[in-house]
Amino acid sequence: MDIIHLLPDSVANQIAAGEVIQRPASVVKELVENSVDAGATHISIIIKDAGRTLIQIIDNGIGMSGTDARLSFERHATSKIRQAGDLFTLQTMGFRGEALASIAAIAHIELRTRREEDELGTSVKIAASVVESQEAVSTPVGTNFSVKDIFYNIPARRKFLKSNQVEFSNIVTEFERIAIVNPQVSFSLTHNAAEVYNLQPSGALQRIISLFGKTMNNQLLPVSVDTSIAKISGFAGKPESARKRGALQFFFVNGRYMRHPYLHKAIMSSYENIIPVGEMPNYFINFTVDPKTIDVNIHPTKTEIKFENEQHLWPILSSAVKEMLGKFSAVPSIDFDTDDAPEIPIFRKDMAFPSQPQIKYNSGYNPFKMNIPPKSSVMEDWGKLYHNFENAKDVSSLPDTDFKCEVNVSRDVSLLPEATGEVTGGMYIQIKGRYIITSIKSGMVIVDQHRAHTRVLYDKYIRRIMAKVPAVQKCLFPEIIHFSPSQSEILAAIEDELSVIGFEISNLGSGSYSVNGIPEGTEGVNYEELLRKLIDSAMECGKVQSGIVLHQKIALTLAQQAAIPYGQVLTLQEMEQLTEELFTSPDANFTPDGKHTLSQITNDELTKRFK
Ligand code: ADP
Ligand code: MG
């Protein structure tokens, strides 16, 4: 009797799935890459319970015909290669037509898709490789994948998943890798109904800043070289921005994230003797190469790559980075430092990133009308304003306050949409180092800068806590702080909350702690004092608070400390951004502890005053 038989497809697919789909993040990676390949310009990613319950990817790409929708789940079904020769001539990469078949083997799937030329789209439902239904449906152009209950039919794998926090941070990692190199695509990422990212189409550097924070703007320098074997472009960190841990290091080859330990060393060699041993620079490097000269199929998850010309690429890359570092140290005043510097100098026409640089300007800005200090004199004026402010016991009694503005603030939040988005022409005036005045459709509004910023930051911190994605700013020089035994106890009790908000603290024993990372956006804040305040605020009625109350207390304390202080002179852009962010808050009228953030004067009232 013959004993060899072919495995049923469902079993073969499960085995393949073991290689391609290891965790929810792998599903996100495969589906979002497919959406990018399908030419989508907007991709929404909706996650529930770190992907355990739901992973949904909605794109506006080319969509699929009814037949293709069904075929796409077959093993080795791909529109991206036809014959073995294509393996070497692909513009897009690593296609084996395995992803959808693998995902369908280990989850409940619903696919809805439509091409522009079709009136009706297709819905396909599959579970454990078995097609449950296929029918015509009306659905928008593009593709909408829902993947539910991952590994429901492989309990061993489901058990193997890590905590939600770990699995979700893996998802964010995959998301970042795709978002960085596709800045022309807008992305949104939602976790348990909280928006984690909402990225607009932008330039390459702007995308990096949106993902990793504004400080990136001051820390990165452009790298660019074009040779016959590869075009290299991107950014690498200034030496002083190197970090001991958690450096941002990314290689992309023809638009896909890749690991490359050998070329990583090439970059490290450029920084030799420039940064302290053990520190790592940030880098974001894109290679554009002829697909014939690479092999991406050496690894099932396709994040490792072999270049035909590896040994030639080493010197090209390391000298490109060295040249950048040389230029930078020779011209230390090179002006990437100002927040509003246009991005032009760092873009080249031939860079791999397709979008054009944009110059932001403010069409409503008339320097003669408004009393805004020019940037160069900010320091002197700052001093003056601050002085005025300090001397004034009551701001409303300052001599040139010609309107008292305790007017008509209503607790009725529905008033707010009036203001939202209605700020006209970008006219902003800052007075007393404290108030921002601007015009809105229904009249004018006066915003308290510190309180407004407190509200904006508070909302942001609460979102971070809910999404459980800490935004950490690593400390270059970890600071050692000492706490009393009772403080240490409280600290231990609120450890999780602190880490979720971005603190990285390690306990050195006997009351000493090293602060290795702080919440992004709190740079410059005295964090020893901040931690003491957080510890104090966590205590109420003799016991440590927990749950939502604790979250709120932490978010509020942090927001109050990090918010723009009174006396700080703001640029037009800063005022505009702050006001806009405030107006998008559902509780824009009040700080979290119930103080007014703004005051409106209606058109009617203005008219009355000038009767
Ligand atoms: P591969 O990406 O390697 O071709 P997949 O299993 O990921 O294999 O996808 C199979 C095929 O399904 C793709 O080649 C493509 O034709 C089609 N497809 C998958 N996702 C999408 C999408 N979001 N939009 C349009 N077509 C898609
Ligand atoms: Mg694919």
Side-chain angles (χ1 to χ4, degrees):
M1 193 178 83
D2 300 333
I3 54 168
I4 294 179
H5 57 99
L6 286 171
L7 289 173
D9 266 0
S10 58
V11 177
N13 287 336
Q14 263 194 30
I15 295 170
E19 284 194 341
V20 184
I21 307 299
Q22 290 140 348
R23 46 179 23 99
S26 332
V27 175
V28 173
K29 169 184 189 283
E30 295 296 338
L31 294 186
V32 178
E33 281 183 352
N34 281 346
S35 295
V36 171
D37 290 339
T41 55
H42 181 77
I43 303 174
S44 304
I45 301 154
I46 299 161
I47 307 290
K48 293 218 170 102
D49 305 323
R52 269 173 230 269
T53 320
L54 176 72
I55 299 165
Q56 186 175 16
I57 315 288
I58 306 168
D59 72 45
N60 64 352
I62 55 170
M64 286 181 258
S65 70
T67 316
D68 284 351
R70 171 66 195 85
L71 261 181
S72 66
F73 292 100
E74 293 294 329
R75 246 180 122 193
H76 309 302
T78 175
S79 56
K80 300 164 197 171
I81 42 178
R82 285 194 184 280
Q83 51 200 17
D86 289 348
L87 278 173
F88 305 103
T89 53
L90 280 171
Q91 275 311 316
T92 39
M93 312 195 345
F95 302 109
R96 312 203 297 186
E98 270 180 345
L100 294 189
S102 301
I103 296 167
I106 50 98
H108 293 281
I109 295 203
E110 181 177 358
L111 161 64
R112 295 166 76 88
T113 186
R114 182 164 74 88
R115 300 181 300 178
E116 196 163 10
E117 61 261 46
D118 300 331
E119 210 156 284
L120 277 181
T122 309
S123 152
V124 180
K125 287 188 184 154
I126 299 194
S129 301
V130 179
V131 180
E132 293 178 332
S133 71
Q134 169 156 11
E135 57 196 43
V137 289
S138 68
T139 183
V141 171
T143 301
N144 181 337
F145 261 106
S146 298
V147 178
K148 291 180 188 156
D149 307 323
I150 186 171
F151 298 134
Y152 79 98
N153 54 344
I154 318 180
R157 301 219 60 166
R158 199 170 161 93
K159 244 186 263 161
F160 185 70
L161 292 177
K162 303 252 169 56
S163 69
N164 278 4
Q165 203 166 335
V166 171
E167 295 299 343
F168 188 68
S169 92
N170 285 322
I171 290 175
V172 171
T173 301
E174 294 294 353
F175 173 80
E176 284 169 357
R177 291 173 180 173
I178 300 173
I180 294 169
V181 76
N182 292 289
Q184 78 287 359
V185 177
S186 70
F187 289 94
S188 74
L189 172 63
T190 311
H191 187 207
N192 294 338
E195 185 176 82
V196 182
Y197 283 109
N198 186 351
L199 305 174
Q200 298 310 308
S202 66
L205 182 59
Q206 185 54 49
R207 174 56 57 90
I208 292 171
I209 292 168
S210 313
L211 283 164
F212 302 109
K214 229 177 158 186
T215 47
M216 284 292 131
N217 195 26
N218 307 328
Q219 296 182 355
L220 293 176
L221 295 167
V223 175
S224 168
V225 60
D226 195 353
T227 69
S228 58
I229 61 171
K231 197 148 84 181
I232 299 176
S233 65
F235 304 94
K238 290 181 187 172
E240 69 266 25
S241 67
R243 336 167 160 184
K244 276 228 168 65
R245 270 180 296 161
L248 301 163
Q249 304 186 322
F250 295 88
F251 279 126
F252 301 96
V253 181
N254 293 2
R256 290 283 211 260
Y257 170 81
M258 295 289 160
R259 280 172 30 78
H260 207 290
Y262 176 76
L263 290 178
H264 167 76
K265 287 196 191 121
I267 294 195
M268 293 308 293
S269 77
S270 322
Y271 282 88
E272 229 161 62
N273 303 325
I274 300 181
I275 60 177
V277 177
E279 290 196 357
M280 297 283 215
N282 297 327
Y283 62 77
F284 302 83
I285 301 288
N286 301 286
F287 295 91
T288 311
V289 297
D290 182 343
K292 281 195 208 102
T293 66
I294 49 175
D295 183 0
V296 252
N297 282 320
I298 58 171
H299 193 274
T301 57
K302 297 173 290 192
T303 52
E304 266 172 40
I305 193 168
K306 216 173 150 27
F307 291 94
E308 201 174 273
N309 301 306
E310 237 148 57
Q311 70 284 23
H312 301 305
L313 279 176
W314 171 298
I316 295 174
L317 177 61
S318 77
S319 62
V321 174
K322 268 197 196 123
E323 187 192 88
M324 171 282 284
L325 290 169
K327 257 192 222 153
F328 166 61
S329 57
V331 197
S333 64
I334 195 164
D335 195 7
F336 291 107
D337 284 341
T338 47
D339 283 340
D340 48 2
E343 287 187 16
I344 304 169
I346 34 184
F347 281 88
R348 306 258 174 99
K349 258 223 187 90
D350 59 359
M351 277 182 73
F353 296 111
S355 57
Q356 291 291 319
Q358 286 170 350
I359 307 172
K360 277 200 196 140
Y361 67 97
N362 194 326
S363 53
Y365 177 52
N366 177 344
F368 301 104
K369 266 198 180 154
M370 291 190 288
N371 193 13
I372 290 166
K375 262 221 139 172
S376 56
S377 69
V378 157
M379 285 318 290
E380 298 142 44
D381 288 27
W382 184 88
K384 244 186 277 162
L385 277 165
Y386 196 70
H387 185 74
N388 276 347
F389 175 68
E390 288 230 299
N391 288 346
K393 283 195 193 74
D394 173 5
V395 180
S396 62
S397 71
L398 285 175
D400 60 331
T401 306
D402 43 19
F403 45 85
K404 297 238 178 348
C405 26
E406 285 307 310
V407 218
N408 280 353
V409 178
S410 155
R411 278 205 175 254
D412 180 8
V413 183
S414 66
L415 242 180
L416 213 83
E418 275 278 299
T420 306
E422 305 276 11
V423 177
T424 52
M427 307 285 276
Y428 296 87
I429 303 171
Q430 184 186 28
I431 60 164
K432 316 288 182 208
R434 176 170 188 150
Y435 300 113
I436 299 165
I437 302 178
T438 191
S439 154
I440 57 176
K441 202 175 174 190
S442 58
M444 61 182 280
V445 66
I446 305 154
V447 173
D448 180 301
Q449 66 187 48
H450 174 74
R451 291 183 185 179
H453 200 211
T454 304
R455 162 52 70 191
V456 168
L457 289 176
Y458 175 85
D459 289 0
K460 188 160 129 192
Y461 294 143
I462 289 286
R463 279 199 301 272
R464 274 189 204 164
I465 293 176
M466 279 169 53
K468 297 205 160 58
V469 192
V472 184
Q473 173 70 43
K474 302 273 181 193
C475 303
L476 280 182
F477 305 101
E479 196 167 314
I480 310 291
I481 300 179
H482 302 279
F483 289 117
S484 72
S486 65
Q487 285 174 323
S488 299
E489 236 181 87
I490 302 170
L491 194 66
I494 62 171
E495 191 178 49
D496 286 353
E497 277 73 15
L498 291 181
S499 87
V500 128
I501 205 129
F503 273 107
E504 286 189 358
I505 301 172
S506 43
N507 188 345
L508 306 176
S510 48
S512 300
Y513 294 83
S514 132
V515 181
N516 309 318
I518 55 172
E520 199 185 278
T522 60
E523 300 92 301
V525 170
N526 177 340
Y527 44 86
E528 173 163 15
E529 193 186 307
L530 173 58
L531 277 169
R532 288 183 197 287
K533 288 210 165 113
L534 284 169
I535 288 175
D536 290 346
S537 72
M539 282 294 282
E540 201 161 57
C541 309
K543 70 179 196 12
V544 183
Q545 300 297 298
S546 62
I548 297 179
V549 179
L550 179 60
H551 292 164
Q552 289 170 341
K553 283 181 175 292
I554 288 182
L556 177 60
T557 310
L558 202 56
Q560 284 169 334
Q561 293 297 302
I564 303 168
Y566 294 130
Q568 181 168 322
V569 175
L570 303 176
T571 64
L572 260 184
Q573 246 183 359
E574 287 166 338
M575 290 191 271
E576 181 174 19
Q577 193 185 344
L578 178 58
T579 322
E580 276 175 10
E581 284 182 339
L582 176 67
F583 286 167
T584 60
S585 168
D587 296 313
N589 279 322
F590 296 93
T591 61
D593 50 342
K595 295 179 194 140
H596 293 302
T597 54
L598 56 84
S599 179
Q600 293 189 49
I601 302 177
T602 61
N603 288 327
D604 279 356
E605 185 137 4
L606 283 170
T607 319
K608 253 190 248 155
R609 279 167 190 256
F610 292 95
K611 268 234 173 87

